[in-house]
Amino acid sequence: MSIEKIDLQIAYGAVKHFGRNLYTSNPPAITELIANSWDAYCTECNIFYNDIENDGDKKTSLLIVDDGIGMTDEELSGRYAISGTEKNTDSVRRPDGITLRPYMGRKGIGKFSAFSLGDSYVLYTKSDIDTQWKKMIFRYELLLEDRPTVPIAVEYIDSLQELKKFFPDLEENTTGTIVYIPEMRRKIISSSIEGLKNLISRRFSINVINNHDFSLKINSEIVDLSQHFYDDNLEFVYYFGTDLEEIKQRFPNIPENNFYKEDDEFFTNYSISGWLGTVEIPSQLLADENISISGVIVYIHGKLADEDILRDKLKNRITNSYFLGEVNADFLQNEEEDPVLSSREGLNKEIPNVQLLIEKLSKISNKLNSNWNDLRANRDIEKLDFLDKMLSTDSGLGTAFKFYSDKQQKQIAKLAQRVFDNDEKYSDAEYRVYGQAIFALVNNKVINEITIDTDTETFGEILKKFYSLFEKTELNAALRMKSNIEDRISIINKLKLIIDDEEVESVFEEHLAKNPWLINQYWDKPSNEIVIETQNKYKAIIQERKVSGRTDIITKVADEPYPIICELKREKVTAYSTPEISEITNQIYKYRRFISDEINRSNNPLRISNTNDIKAYFICGEKSKEKLEDLDLIELKNNNIELKTYQEIIRQAERVYSDRVRE
């Protein structure tokens, strides 16, 4: 004879304690119901959700369907209806031919997660000895009544047609259990099925799920349980409790030298396995367009037990935006006290073994955190997109970079990483300004002249000394940066006042020699002594060789391997003559040859094979530029001479630096 009702026992006020506020979002609540399907030896679990219109209102309905063993009358009354009882693998029927599974549930409270999803749910179940589906309706308000048990009526139905009218893709299994939430309290948290798939799949351990016949679908789309959405984005991994080959199989895209093994007897003795790692950019931790995940997950028997076991430890930009991990800690299930808090907020940190696990994982996290900058800076140059962007914003940056030593290039890469290595969007002007600051910093004598006794100092001492100095220098540069920009604004404003003056040539000559950044924003002079030395040196050569005419500027800048040449044409208030381009090109050719001969004769390791590699500029007023013919412009271009006007130089500099000051 079939049962007419079940007496749902509310042990220890379970509904009040584990009711609608058990979970604050949908994914963990859905996970609990999937875990119930797993424990029932389901081979395929299907999740359906859609918006159903009822009396003019739209509501989201949820359906979780499995093909597991279902529940007999006895199991329904003796197991499902009783809360707070210990569950294990021995208490569940196992179909013939199905491998024994680790039991994910423990206290029989997973069913209450349905009340986190809706104010009521409908349960359908059918075992292999049943000829009909058993149907029960559970309402949250009824379970709040002050009595030890609540009678729940059992209805028998021949088919699931009443569900198929809302979920046409539903296939009726011969056995299984179905949980139907007619009206969800919250909308599905993700904006897409893909997002929900990502959020759900990460709540199950790949190590467990992949060893059993189990599949999951959401609205008929397969959820890939063989990997998590961030697997392909991981860059550096510290692993433990497993071997290199196994971890490489999990992350085949990571180079072998980016794996770091952590040996600790604690992990070995308790059969704990897992990894901590970082992604390349923060957006790679977006499970959905608006939902980012980070932190170290702990799994027990394949199900998430703690979303971030290190949540109370020191947090910073790295751990919040780039860092995550997974730990399989099945040994915690053997604790006399339930290791998972009844609030489902994570592991109970009062348990000594949980405390010890946190301590061990914190050590690895701290190591990864402290080594992160070095690991990132030593990546292949093609992976440093932020550096490529900075160098490509202005062609001059890329050219200058090539002439720096390996040590200086690494310093530039490290500084660029700190500034740009995130998901923020920078304008070209910001890349130029920050790029100039980075190049200027690398030219700082304090960094370049650092001396370290490699014979007596340990590697750790060397590293500590360098970074201490590096951080101080970087900080000082940052503090000087705003003041430096404001000084440049002052220079620009002075030049604006004299732009119509007949003496503009001489004024510009003085300022350009001292402030080459006016011509190219990434340039900086190394020192006044070097500028004066370079000027005097080539003026002497010119006089010695009795070259007719004069050049206005031959000077050295910190970011160029060779001196630069600037020819200036004076503007007259009353008349604007057409510049003689052939004279300009001929003059610059002579100076390029002198510079080339001098460098090639010296002990300088640099050699000049093409004199046009020496940068040259012809600077005049806008009125003079207007008089130039197309052939004049072609001749300048063919001789690699860049044409600029006084007005253009001022506008460009003002645009870049004024924007930075306003910010």
Side-chain angles (χ1 to χ4, degrees), residues 280-314:
E280 291 190 39
I281 56 176
S283 61
Q284 293 171 333
L285 289 182
L286 286 173
D288 195 41
E289 61 182 36
N290 298 314
I291 304 172
S292 181
I293 61 98
S294 62
V296 180
I297 294 173
V298 177
Y299 299 107
I300 298 178
H301 287 178
K303 188 181 74 171
L304 187 150
D306 198 312
E307 290 201 57
D308 186 9
I309 194 172
L310 301 182
R311 66 175 61 83
D312 297 330
K313 296 300 177 181
L314 179 65

Side-chain angles (χ1 to χ4, degrees), residues 513-527:
K514 294 181 180 179
N515 305 286
W517 53 267
L518 284 163
I519 302 174
N520 272 331
Q521 307 302 318
Y522 59 89
W523 278 354
D524 200 5
K525 60 183 176 61
S527 70

Side-chain angles (χ1 to χ4, degrees), residues 26 30 33 48-50 52 59-64 111 113-124 138 163 167 178-186:
N26 292 330
I30 295 173
L33 297 175
F48 299 95
Y49 69 91
N50 59 24
I52 299 173
K59 59 181 183 180
T60 300
S61 296
L62 181 73
L63 194 69
I64 300 177
K111 57 181 166 285
S113 63
F115 290 124
S116 291
L117 298 168
D119 291 334
S120 66
Y121 72 92
V122 186
L123 180 72
Y124 301 81
F138 297 81
L163 290 176
F167 303 95
I178 300 170
V179 176
Y180 172 45
I181 315 291
E183 186 170 355
M184 296 186 68
R185 296 174 56 212
R186 295 177 295 266

Side-chain angles (χ1 to χ4, degrees), residues 408-422:
Q408 290 175 313
Q409 286 186 356
K410 288 180 179 179
Q411 291 173 344
I412 291 172
K414 185 170 292 186
L415 280 168
Q417 174 203 318
R418 292 192 178 187
V419 175
F420 301 116
D421 192 9
N422 51 57

Side-chain angles (χ1 to χ4, degrees), residues 236-288:
F236 303 102
V237 168
Y238 283 64
Y239 66 98
F240 46 88
T242 185
D243 56 40
L244 179 60
E245 289 305 313
E246 187 174 352
I247 201 72
K248 283 170 61 179
Q249 289 179 4
R250 172 72 187 277
F251 307 111
N253 295 335
I254 301 179
E256 187 169 324
N257 59 358
N258 285 6
F259 291 105
Y260 301 87
K261 180 143 178 134
E262 289 293 317
D263 289 313
D264 193 301
E265 289 185 358
F266 174 74
F267 298 127
T268 305
N269 294 340
Y270 286 100
S271 299
I272 303 168
S273 65
W275 55 269
L276 307 184
T278 58
V279 294
E280 291 190 39
I281 56 176
S283 61
Q284 293 171 333
L285 289 182
L286 286 173
D288 195 41

Side-chain angles (χ1 to χ4, degrees), residues 101-141:
R101 295 179 179 178
Y103 201 81
M104 291 186 180
R106 189 168 185 181
K107 296 295 187 182
I109 62 174
K111 57 181 166 285
F112 291 116
S113 63
F115 290 124
S116 291
L117 298 168
D119 291 334
S120 66
Y121 72 92
V122 186
L123 180 72
Y124 301 81
T125 189
K126 183 180 180 184
S127 71
D128 57 0
I129 62 174
D130 292 320
T131 58
Q132 292 177 296
W133 288 91
K134 291 185 280 285
K135 173 185 175 182
M136 290 142 283
I137 301 175
F138 297 81
R139 293 184 176 86
Y140 183 72
E141 59 184 16

Side-chain angles (χ1 to χ4, degrees), residues 142-160:
L142 294 178
L143 273 63
L144 293 178
E145 297 180 6
D146 189 16
R147 48 178 165 168
T149 62
V150 178
I152 305 294
V154 180
E155 181 184 353
Y156 293 86
I157 58 176
D158 294 323
S159 74
L160 301 175

Side-chain angles (χ1 to χ4, degrees), residues 329-341:
D330 294 347
F331 81 103
L332 292 175
Q333 192 74 309
N334 300 323
E335 297 287 329
E336 292 185 5
E337 185 179 1
D338 192 348
V340 181
L341 293 170

